[in-house]
């Protein structure tokens, strides 16, 4: 789960640099993997310049009584995940085309109003790593974006297009599908962009499963050196419809019998986020879902502050025995180019075709060297 929070922070924080810069790092850690003591060795290289950044690296894990954990490196996706992240961003002057490209494990990926793709996160299964990709293109009156959860063995693919400027009416269309399960979802949406509030409606169909209608309003404001955003939404749905079908725990839901079943009726969603200059981002979302457990999601990404950096992510069904995943990582700078890092996570592993939860934790000490 380390990738899902670390890569999300890296992708979100990329800024054009004046010149090419790079660094190499390595760390040794001890901790627990499930109920077994574990030793880890991490190594990586990060390079950034202009409008791009790339990081490669990996982890080797020794488990007591087992040796090197081969499941971490026994699939093509595991090898591809050596590319920890890659980003490119072009911000044109005037009315040109803006382009953003990112590769790495998907973390909180969203499209549009999140009624189809609402926080898709990969990396919850420690035995199957995924190198995903996202691309966004935006002009003055049109924009498009697309994503794939795994470029080596695609499962979930999704795309959205939008027509409309910064003010007034805008219209969008979204399509997403799970190639392995044969599930497809399509949506049409409309919104009215004003200075502060953006009311919207979405009509969504999960083909062969159910349909839903969403109506909400998003509010944006800049105050006290921070960007604030809040969303309140209600929906009505037929039986079998799950709002935000491709959500933060989709990797677990799709592998759980009945994990994507729901009853028709009414539900809603509320979310809030704040981006504070120099302090990072905090986001919370709560989904009230008819026929499904309510779901809570929390995400925190803080840049280096007082020689420390913190990232945390959690998503959980608010029901006893429901799906849930948690991850947190703290990194502290030490003298002489050294650092200390601690991480803890509740994730899942493959247990003969089904997923079972496990806890893992690591405390590591390492060093970084400018290249």
């Amino acid at each position: 789960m380390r990738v899902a929070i670390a890569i999300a922070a890296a992708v979100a924080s990329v800024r054009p640099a004046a010149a090419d810069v790079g660094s190499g790092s390595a760390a040794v850690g001890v901790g627990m993997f499930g109920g077994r003591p574990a030793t880890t060795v991490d190594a990586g290289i990060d390079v950034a310049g202009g409008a791009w950044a790339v990081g490669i690296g990996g982890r080797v894990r020794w488990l007591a009584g087992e040796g090197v954990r081969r499941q971490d490196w026994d699939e093509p996706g595991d090898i591809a995940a050596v590319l920890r992240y890659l980003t490119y961003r072009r911000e044109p002057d005037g009315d040109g085309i803006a382009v953003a490209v990112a590769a790495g494990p998907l973390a909180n990926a969203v499209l549009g109003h999140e009624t189809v793709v609402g926080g898709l996160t990969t990396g919850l299964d420690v035995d199957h790593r995924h190198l995903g990709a996202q691309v966004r293109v935006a002009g003055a009156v049109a924009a498009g974006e697309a994503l794939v959860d795994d470029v080596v063995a695609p499962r979930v693919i999704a795309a959205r297009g939008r027509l409309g400027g910064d003010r007034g009416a805008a219209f969008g269309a979204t399509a997403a599908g799970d190639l392995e399960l044969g599930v497809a979802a399509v949506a049409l949406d409309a919104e009215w962009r004003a200075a502060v509030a953006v009311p919207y409606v979405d009509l969504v169909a999960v083909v062969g499963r159910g349909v839903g209608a969403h109506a909400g309003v998003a509010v944006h404001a800049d105050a006290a050196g921070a960007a604030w955003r809040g969303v309140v939404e209600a929906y009505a749905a037929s039986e079998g419809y799950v709002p935000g079908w491709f959500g933060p725990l989709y990797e677990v839901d799709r592998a759980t019998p009945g994990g994507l079943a729901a009853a028709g009726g009414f539900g809603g969603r509320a979310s809030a986020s704040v981006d504070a200059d120099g302090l990072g981002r905090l986001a919370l979302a709560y989904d009230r879902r008819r026929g499904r457990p309510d779901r809570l999601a929390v995400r925190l990404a803080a840049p280096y502050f007082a020689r420390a950096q913190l990232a945390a992510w959690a998503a959980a069904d608010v029901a006893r025995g429901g799906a849930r995943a948690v991850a947190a990582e703290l990194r502290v700078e030490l003298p002489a180019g050294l650092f200390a890092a601690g991480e803890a996570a509740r994730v899942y592993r493959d247990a003969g075709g089904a997923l079972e939860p496990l806890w893992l934790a690591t405390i590591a000490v390492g060093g970084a060297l400018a290249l």
Side-chain angles (χ1 to χ4, degrees), residues 3 5-15 53 84-89 100-107 134 136 299:
V3 291
I5 56 176
I7 299 312
V11 170
S13 65
V14 171
R15 293 293 183 271
R84 294 166 37 238
Y85 66 90
L86 180 149
T87 66
Y88 169 78
R89 181 178 300 173
V101 179
L106 296 186
Q134 294 178 265
R136 293 181 179 133
R299 186 164 178 252

Side-chain angles (χ1 to χ4, degrees), residues 343-357:
E343 62 180 70
R346 184 191 192 271
V347 287
Y348 290 81
R349 63 179 166 188
D350 193 335
L355 295 182
E356 65 177 17

Side-chain angles (χ1 to χ4, degrees), residues 117-169:
V117 180
L120 178 63
T121 298
T122 61
L124 305 185
D125 180 356
V126 296
D127 292 325
H128 304 288
R129 292 186 289 169
H130 307 285
L131 174 63
Q134 294 178 265
V135 58
R136 293 181 179 133
V137 180
V141 295
E145 53 188 318
L147 64 84
V148 59
D149 73 326
D150 191 327
V151 299
V152 175
R155 299 174 307 166
V156 178
I157 58 173
R160 180 174 188 265
R162 179 183 63 81
L163 289 175
D166 293 335
R167 292 288 185 270

Side-chain angles (χ1 to χ4, degrees), residues 3 57-59 69-84 125-131 150 152-153:
V3 291
R59 164 177 291 184
R69 190 169 191 272
R70 298 181 182 275
Q71 295 93 325
D72 292 340
W73 297 97
D74 63 352
E75 296 183 343
D78 297 328
I79 306 301
V82 169
L83 177 61
R84 294 166 37 238
D125 180 356
V126 296
D127 292 325
H128 304 288
R129 292 186 289 169
H130 307 285
L131 174 63
D150 191 327
V152 175

Side-chain angles (χ1 to χ4, degrees), residues 235-263:
Y235 77 86
S238 68
E239 186 173 355
Y241 177 79
V242 176
W245 185 277
F246 300 97
L249 294 174
Y250 181 72
E251 193 165 7
V252 179
D253 292 339
R254 72 191 296 277
T256 303
L260 291 168

Side-chain angles (χ1 to χ4, degrees), residues 21 25 51 98 132 163 178 186 200-201 276 309 312 316 356 369:
V21 294
S25 64
L163 289 175
D178 187 319
V186 294
Y200 64 87
V201 294
Q309 184 182 36
E356 65 177 17
L369 177 67

